[in-house]
């Protein structure tokens, strides 16, 4: 099972897409005047051809409403040529033993860095306790990239190391399993100049490839997608009494940026979250939540886009869903403890989460969708583990890591 | 929903550059593009003021929705799907040649200057003194004057007479037999216009209401019209509960055609005619009443409860009629202020709904109505109950009990002797005397 990813420039007539016998679907990345406006997955018979006519119909149904909004937006912004100078930017990449993927990401950054709208751009790679020198060598093969070694294993240790090492007023974090879109930097620049005073930004995450069943399944089940509409988040919402506790709607940690001074003021990332294998999640939820709680706005900007390499195998994917449940609950346990004011929202979120997961499970079970049931159970089990003291266990573990590296 | 009060404000996005709200209290914002209503949104103090980027985004999203629903070049007019939502008809090839979308929006928003003398406004009232005065003030200050304004006084004492006397040109008609349907039918018989526009005594009209109704009926294919009902105030908990938990009187700002296809799609489970609009803001061509009869006097406030409006739409769709939902025809409704009143209202809504389903079933032998009564509604109660239980949401159980009570009360009509054999009265061409 393989889907081909195809870029579809909607302002031009579509060319027909001929699929090879191995391919049985397409992931269409819709652009209008180079601006990302939609993503659609279409299943077809392997080896068949999507004619220009079919693509046109598809474009009318799925992409046209969003194109109209983009056109309207373009008209409204035309003439408003108030270009304030943008701050300096640090791009931080935390990586561990993935030199190949890191090089791929650095290549994509090379392409966007050349015409940067930011005052100054630096790239900081934090080598998070890699076991060999491949990461360092990969960094050295590129020009002008700073290399920082962080011996304490754990993503949030690395993120904090980047925070200390960086010099930019703004810091953008990228995971090593992504590649940036050609307009990634422009998207971040747009988000910055459109939203003076925002504390942080998140962006669109599209699939890098859809080559395996697990990758296709993951993307179909929602992936990291947060849609093509800009969104602005503040400390509370009329239409969601639990907000900002469900901060997962803001985006994902593989593509996020913050005002650096704000992160330092907030004490950086919680090192007991996102610690790698034992607790591989929750760190992004936690930092989004704390930015919102500090009274600052977070903005989701779809043009600030990356492509994420999804888990390749079903086993890895199962683990991912488990880790989502685990990370979510570890975060909720932590912030329910530290943020007394919103405690009732956290407790309500825990209840809501379990009810929602159960509801999805029941729905999957009654429709005999075995795989959905298994993944649902994994996520639910992760949640139970998370609730059962995982945050405290992780605190103990991180303390031991700190001791060891003192 | 935790806001203590929710002041309503109107924002014209065509001229607005920055939001000046101080962000010290919650607000309910209604967005306009000149005269064109675009959308609404409730915000907590932390969500205010809206940023410039947010305002631009609202403009783009709301504006795009209006363009695709109103600009014939972009596929307008839109038909309603069975969910009562628009079925998009946008074609990219047409879209890409458009160059002046903001200008097009300006053109669409321009208010017409049409005479409206063919329209009769009928307001049925019952002992609502000052509310009626407010309503009449808004009727008499319309941008285009209607042909006539008829107030049907459904009180036993004729209490509306002195209030009508304060407004020149308002006709006071007494109808002492209680019941909103009876009063409305009297209003139809006593009025003369080709188009009869109804509103209620707890409503204030937008100054362009009449002229928008006139514009809509210029399209000869339309038999009926419904419009947008916005909240006039959201000061009390009961008002906010009605608006947000119960969905108010609908919230779409997109014009939609409800026709026989909508009817056919929703018929298997009781045609979803209640999604078409509200009796507080509706109009009909007089000849429709001649064709399909008047309001069913078994239904409506003072009789079974309500749904006399949706039952008439049902009859209209079943007979091939077309209703346009045109949100440009705007009224502001004063929701009940007190919780007890809200509960009574919810109870009577559900009772009337069940009664109307029985009436519809009997008139057209349409089993879908019973599917709604015995399948969909009990399931809806069960779901609301579980939802209230699990999410611990305030308010849900408070409105569920009166709904179930109303449902039970509605079922009695199944067995009431003689009730099911009746029909809606006819409108004879030369009026009541025939």
């Amino acid at each position: 099972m393989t889907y081909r990813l195809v870029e579809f420039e909607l302002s031009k007539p579509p060319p027909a897409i001929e699929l090879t016998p191995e391919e049985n679907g397409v992931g269409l990345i819709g652009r209008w005047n180079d601006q990302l406006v939609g993503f659609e997955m279409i299943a077809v018979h392997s080896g068949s051809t999507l004619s220009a006519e079919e693509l046109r119909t598809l474009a009318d149904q799925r992409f046209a409403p969003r194109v109209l909004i983009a056109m309207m937006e373009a008209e409204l912004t035309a003439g408003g040529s108030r270009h304030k100078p943008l701050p300096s930017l640090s791009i931080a990449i935390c990586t561990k033993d993935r030199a190949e993927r890191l090089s791929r990401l650095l290549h994509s950054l090379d392409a966007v860095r050349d015409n940067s709208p930011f005052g100054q751009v630096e790239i900081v790679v934090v080598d998070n306790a890699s076991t060999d020198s491949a990461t360092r060598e990969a960094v050295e093969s590129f020009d002008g990239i700073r290399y920082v070694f962080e011996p304490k294993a754990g993503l949030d240790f690395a993120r904090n190391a980047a925070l200390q090492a960086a010099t930019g007023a703004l810091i953008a974090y990228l995971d090593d399993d992504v590649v940036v879109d050609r307009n990634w930097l422009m998207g971040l620049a747009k988000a910055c100049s459109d939203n003076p005073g925002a504390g942080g930004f998140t962006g669109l995450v599209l699939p890098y490839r859809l080559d395996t069943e697990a990758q296709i399944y993951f993307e179909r089940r929602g992936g990291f997608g947060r849609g093509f509409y800009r969104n602005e988040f503040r400390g509370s919402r009329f239409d969601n009494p639990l907000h900002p506790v469900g901060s997962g709607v803001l985006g994902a940690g593989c593509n996020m940026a913050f005002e650096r001074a704000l992160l330092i003021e907030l004490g950086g990332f919680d090192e007991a979250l996102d610690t790698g294998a034992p607790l591989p999640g929750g760190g992004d939820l936690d930092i989004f939540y704390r930015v919102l709680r500090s009274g600052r706005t977070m903005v989701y900007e779809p043009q600030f886009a990356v492509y994420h390499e999804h888990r390749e195998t079903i086993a890895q994917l199962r683990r991912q869903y488990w880790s989502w449940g685990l990370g979510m609950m570890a975060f909720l346990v932590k912030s329910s403890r530290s943020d007394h004011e919103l405690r009732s929202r956290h407790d309500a979120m825990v209840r809501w989460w379990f009810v929602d997961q159960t509801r999805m499970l029941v729905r999957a079970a009654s429709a005999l969708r075995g795989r959905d049931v298994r993944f649902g159970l994994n996520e639910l089990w992760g949640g139970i583990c998370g609730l059962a003291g995982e945050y405290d266990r992780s605190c103990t573990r991180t303390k031991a890591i700190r001791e060891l590296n003192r | 929903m935790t806001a203590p009060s929710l002041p309503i404000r109107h924002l014209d996005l065509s001229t607005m550059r920055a939001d000046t709200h101080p962000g010290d209290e919650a607000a309910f914002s209604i967005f306009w593009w000149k005269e064109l209503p675009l959308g609404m949104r409730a915000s907590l103090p932390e969500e205010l003021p809206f940023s410039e980027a947010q305002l631009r985004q609202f403009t783009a999203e709301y504006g795009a929705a209006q363009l695709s629903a109103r600009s014939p070049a972009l596929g307008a007019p839109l038909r309603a799907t069975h969910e009562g939502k628009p079925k998009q008809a946008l074609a990219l090839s047409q879209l890409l040649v458009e160059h002046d979308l903001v200008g097009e929006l300006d053109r669409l928003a321009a208010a017409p200057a049409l005479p409206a003398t063919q329209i009769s406004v009928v307001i049925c009232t019952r002992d609502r003194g000052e509310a009626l005065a407010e309503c009449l003030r808004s009727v008499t200050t319309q941008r285009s004057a209607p042909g006539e304004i008829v107030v049907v006084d459904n009180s036993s004492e004729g209490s509306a007479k002195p209030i009508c006397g304060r407004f020149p040109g308002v006709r006071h008609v007494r109808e002492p037999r209680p019941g909103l349907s009876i009063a409305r039918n009297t209003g139809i018989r006593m009025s003369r216009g080709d188009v009869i526009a109804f509103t209620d005594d707890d409503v204030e009209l937008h100054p362009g209401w009449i002229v928008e109704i006139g514009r809509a009926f210029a399209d000869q294919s339309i038999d009926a019209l419904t419009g947008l009902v916005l909240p006039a105030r959201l000061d009390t908990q009961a008002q906010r509960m009605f608006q947000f938990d119960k969905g108010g009187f609908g919230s779409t700002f997109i014009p939609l055609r409800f026709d026989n296809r909508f009817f056919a799609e929703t018929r298997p489970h009781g045609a979803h005619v209640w999604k078409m609009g509200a009796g507080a803001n509706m109009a009909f061509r007089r000849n429709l009443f001649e064709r399909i009869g008047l309001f069913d006097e078994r239904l409506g406030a003072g009789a079974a409860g309500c749904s006399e409006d949706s039952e008439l739409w049902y009859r209209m769709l079943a007979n091939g009629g077309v209703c346009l939902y045109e949100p440009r025809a705007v009224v502001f409704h004063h929701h009940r202020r007190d919780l007890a009143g809200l509960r009574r209202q919810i109870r009577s809504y559900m009772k009337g709904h069940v009664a109307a389903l029985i009436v519809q079933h009997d008139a057209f032998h349409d089993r879908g109505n019973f599917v709604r009564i015995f399948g969909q509604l009990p399931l809806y109660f069960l779901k609301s109950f579980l939802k209230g239980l699990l999410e611990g949401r305030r308010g849900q159980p408070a409105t569920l009990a009166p709904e179930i009570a109303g449902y039970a009360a509605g079922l009695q009509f199944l067995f009431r002797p003689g009730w099911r054999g009746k029909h809606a009265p006819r409108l004879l061409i030369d009026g009541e005397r025939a």
Side-chain angles (χ1 to χ4, degrees):
Chain A
M1 203 178 190
T2 296
Y3 276 30
R4 189 196 300 179
L5 281 176
V6 182
E7 280 214 2
F8 187 177
E9 174 54 59
L10 294 157
S11 60
K12 297 197 179 91
I17 302 172
E18 266 176 63
L19 296 178
T20 64
E22 290 79 47
E23 295 170 328
N24 41 17
V26 284
L28 287 175
I29 299 169
R31 288 181 186 268
W32 171 74
N33 287 352
D34 212 30
Q35 186 182 332
L36 288 161
V37 292
F39 176 72
E40 291 289 338
M41 288 171 76
I42 318 288
V44 289
H45 291 296
S46 46
S48 63
T49 300
L50 270 170
S51 70
E53 192 49 47
E54 282 170 302
L55 283 170
R56 239 192 310 272
T57 314
L58 211 87
D60 286 349
Q61 286 168 352
R62 314 278 182 91
F63 295 118
R66 183 66 207 132
V67 171
L68 177 56
I69 294 171
M71 287 173 74
M72 186 81 193
E73 234 165 351
E75 256 187 54
L76 291 167
T77 33
S81 57
R82 29 165 203 97
H83 276 303
K84 277 183 220 134
L86 288 166
S88 52
L89 170 71
S90 299
I91 301 169
I93 302 159
C94 304
T95 181
K96 179 174 169 56
D97 290 321
R98 276 181 176 171
E100 232 172 272
R101 290 193 176 178
L102 176 66
S103 305
R104 193 172 73 186
L105 169 57
L106 292 175
H107 268 296
S108 71
L109 278 171
D110 258 354
V112 304
R113 194 160 50 145
D114 293 341
N115 86 68
S116 155
F118 285 90
Q120 213 175 354
V121 180
E122 64 167 357
I123 299 178
V124 182
V125 172
V126 181
D127 184 345
N128 193 197
S130 290
T131 49
D132 57 24
S133 60
T135 302
R136 174 190 282 269
E137 284 154 18
V139 171
E140 279 165 0
S141 69
F142 289 85
D143 282 339
I145 292 178
R146 289 177 56 199
Y147 174 86
V148 175
F149 188 80
E150 170 53 63
K152 300 191 285 293
L155 181 53
D156 279 359
F157 281 123
R159 284 176 177 155
N160 282 341
L163 190 58
Q164 295 307 324
T167 57
L170 197 69
I171 182 162
Y173 285 96
L174 290 169
D175 281 359
D176 57 7
D177 51 3
V178 304
V179 164
V180 298
D181 181 66
R182 59 175 175 266
N183 296 328
W184 178 78
L185 208 53
M186 296 303 285
L188 182 58
K190 173 176 181 273
C192 278
S193 51
D194 278 359
N195 303 282
F201 307 94
T202 51
L204 177 65
V205 182
L206 289 168
Y208 176 69
R209 59 191 178 99
L210 294 171
D211 289 350
T212 70
E213 212 180 333
Q215 291 173 334
I216 292 167
Y217 177 86
F218 178 72
E219 191 57 39
R220 274 222 184 279
R221 208 168 179 244
F224 287 114
R226 298 288 181 275
F228 290 81
Y229 292 85
R230 175 195 172 275
N231 215 336
E232 187 167 325
F233 298 92
R234 303 192 201 176
S236 60
R237 281 180 83 106
F238 186 91
D239 58 2
N240 178 2
L242 297 189
H243 184 82
V245 175
S247 56
V249 295
L250 267 70
C254 62
N255 183 28
M256 58 184 180
F258 303 91
E259 186 187 293
R260 198 169 64 92
L262 172 67
L263 283 196
I264 291 171
E265 191 190 308
L266 292 176
F269 292 85
D270 182 345
E271 294 172 346
L273 294 168
D274 270 341
T275 55
L279 176 52
D284 48 358
L285 299 179
D286 178 66
I287 198 69
F288 298 156
Y289 176 79
R290 281 157 57 214
V291 169
L292 294 181
R293 286 294 285 154
S294 77
R296 298 291 290 274
T297 304
M298 294 264 322
V299 174
Y300 172 79
E301 169 55 57
Q303 302 311 317
F304 173 45
V306 300
Y307 302 89
H308 177 263
E309 169 110 33
H310 296 338
R311 303 291 181 276
E312 222 171 334
T313 65
I314 294 292
Q316 288 171 335
L317 191 53
R318 209 173 290 152
R319 195 180 149 72
Q320 164 136 43
Y321 283 120
W322 171 80
S323 78
W324 276 7
L326 188 74
M328 175 77 178
M329 283 304 139
F331 153 69
L332 284 175
V333 166
K334 177 219 163 167
S335 41
S336 142
R337 232 181 259 168
S338 55
D339 193 347
H340 291 285
E341 209 185 319
L342 296 193
R343 194 166 183 169
S344 63
R345 289 191 210 179
H346 287 98
D347 296 346
M349 180 55 101
V350 171
R351 278 198 305 276
W352 183 88
W353 189 87
F354 278 102
V355 167
D356 192 53
Q357 291 290 331
T358 313
R359 195 159 44 192
M360 286 199 296
L361 261 179
V362 169
R363 205 174 300 155
S366 59
L368 298 174
R369 294 195 306 259
R371 180 161 287 166
D372 285 1
V373 173
R374 280 194 296 280
F375 285 131
L377 283 171
N378 279 302
E379 196 163 353
L380 196 60
W381 179 240
I384 292 168
C385 295
L387 209 53
E390 180 61 29
Y391 184 70
D392 294 320
R393 286 193 293 276
S394 189
C395 283
T396 315
R397 283 193 302 261
T398 40
K399 208 170 144 201
I401 296 173
R402 270 191 218 111
E403 294 289 321
L404 206 70
N405 290 285
R406 198 195 287 245
Chain B
M1 267 295 291
T2 46
S5 169
L6 208 52
I8 293 178
R9 59 185 194 140
H10 296 271
L11 308 180
D12 183 353
L13 291 176
S14 75
T15 54
M16 191 161 174
R17 289 293 155 264
D19 186 359
T20 53
H21 192 281
D24 55 348
E25 58 175 359
F28 187 78
S29 312
I30 299 176
F31 299 101
W32 302 77
W33 187 273
K34 301 192 168 90
E35 293 283 305
L36 189 65
L38 297 179
M40 56 190 175
R41 164 181 290 248
S43 316
L44 293 175
E46 292 91 328
E47 297 178 82
L48 294 166
F50 296 128
S51 68
E52 265 176 64
Q54 236 171 338
L55 288 175
R56 197 160 56 232
Q57 182 188 6
F58 294 155
T59 310
E61 290 177 12
Y62 292 142
Q66 292 298 324
L67 286 168
S68 59
R70 294 185 183 278
S71 182
L74 299 178
L78 301 181
R79 274 188 45 240
T81 63
H82 63 281
E83 285 302 326
K85 297 204 167 67
K87 186 169 265 177
Q88 284 294 339
L90 205 54
L92 204 58
S93 52
Q94 281 171 312
L95 180 55
L96 293 171
V97 298
E98 291 287 331
H99 290 298
D100 183 16
L101 295 172
V102 174
E104 176 70 2
L105 199 55
D106 277 337
R107 280 188 288 283
L108 292 172
L114 296 166
T117 48
Q118 81 284 15
I119 300 173
S120 296
V121 176
V122 173
I123 302 156
C124 302
T125 184
R126 189 175 179 196
D127 294 326
R128 276 256 183 86
E130 272 320 296
L132 176 66
E134 286 299 317
C135 173
L136 287 176
R137 198 162 297 139
S138 71
V139 182
T140 48
T141 52
Q142 287 288 303
R143 211 175 296 119
S144 296
E148 60 177 348
I149 302 165
V150 179
V151 172
V152 183
D153 188 349
N154 208 199
S155 67
S156 49
E157 313 290 319
S159 63
K161 187 160 183 132
I163 296 159
C164 293
R166 280 158 39 192
F167 298 92
V170 172
R171 264 172 77 198
H172 177 260
V173 172
R174 279 198 67 182
E175 175 48 271
R177 290 178 300 150
L180 181 55
S181 288
I182 295 172
R184 285 201 171 135
N185 288 342
T186 303
I188 296 165
R189 290 193 179 105
M190 301 302 282
S191 64
R192 293 176 292 255
D194 293 335
V195 170
I196 304 166
F198 291 94
T199 189
D200 290 343
D201 55 4
D202 51 0
V203 154
E204 288 173 60
L205 306 177
H206 184 275
W209 186 66
I210 295 279
V211 80
E212 291 299 348
I213 291 176
R215 163 148 73 179
F217 277 98
D219 175 353
Q220 289 302 321
S221 70
I222 304 286
D223 301 289
L225 175 117
T226 52
L228 181 62
V229 183
L230 293 172
R233 306 203 72 100
L234 294 168
D235 298 340
T236 71
Q237 195 203 351
Q239 291 174 329
R240 293 193 295 275
M241 233 153 120
F242 181 74
Q243 183 67 32
F244 300 110
D245 292 348
K246 302 269 78 177
F249 286 113
S251 55
T252 172
F253 287 70
I254 299 297
L256 286 172
R257 277 174 80 93
F258 290 88
D259 54 17
N260 53 359
R261 280 162 79 182
F262 169 77
F263 189 62
E265 275 173 13
T266 55
R267 205 168 176 170
H269 30 95
H272 293 185
V273 283
W274 55 90
K275 287 178 181 155
M276 290 166 61
N281 187 4
M282 62 180 180
F284 300 90
R285 242 182 250 288
R286 172 176 295 277
N287 64 24
L288 178 76
F289 295 114
E290 290 163 3
R291 270 184 0 243
I292 67 168
L294 297 167
F295 287 100
D296 194 313
E297 294 177 356
R298 288 171 290 177
L299 302 171
C306 76
S307 294
E308 79 291 350
D309 41 14
S310 59
E311 187 275 334
L312 189 70
W313 295 324
Y314 187 101
R315 237 186 298 151
M316 180 192 71
L317 291 183
N319 284 291
V322 175
C323 178
L324 176 72
Y325 168 72
E326 175 48 271
R328 258 198 297 226
V330 180
V331 307
F332 301 93
H333 180 259
H334 289 272
H335 302 338
R336 303 282 192 289
R337 291 189 70 86
D338 59 314
L339 276 174
L342 175 68
R343 285 199 198 99
R344 273 198 306 278
Q345 182 185 18
I346 287 172
R347 182 180 181 282
S348 97
Y349 272 16
M350 189 49 81
K351 184 180 167 196
H353 181 46
V354 174
L357 289 166
I358 296 170
V359 165
Q360 288 159 196
H361 171 271
D362 292 350
F364 295 93
H365 309 289
D366 194 343
R367 283 178 39 83
N369 290 295
F370 278 3
V371 172
R372 171 91 184 154
I373 296 179
F374 298 109
Q376 278 193 335
L377 286 176
L379 202 65
Y380 159 75
F381 297 140
L382 183 69
K383 273 188 183 163
S384 310
F385 175 72
L386 289 177
K387 204 174 160 200
L389 208 64
L390 292 171
E391 295 180 358
R393 264 185 77 191
R394 325 147 308 278
Q396 202 68 32
T399 58
L400 184 60
E403 263 185 326
I404 294 178
Y407 174 76
L411 290 178
Q412 62 165 305
F413 296 114
L414 277 172
F415 313 105
R416 188 181 278 194
W419 192 85
R420 291 178 69 178
K422 291 181 184 157
H423 291 286
R426 305 282 307 272
L427 176 67
L428 300 172
I429 311 288
D430 50 352
E432 205 177 19
R433 278 162 288 116

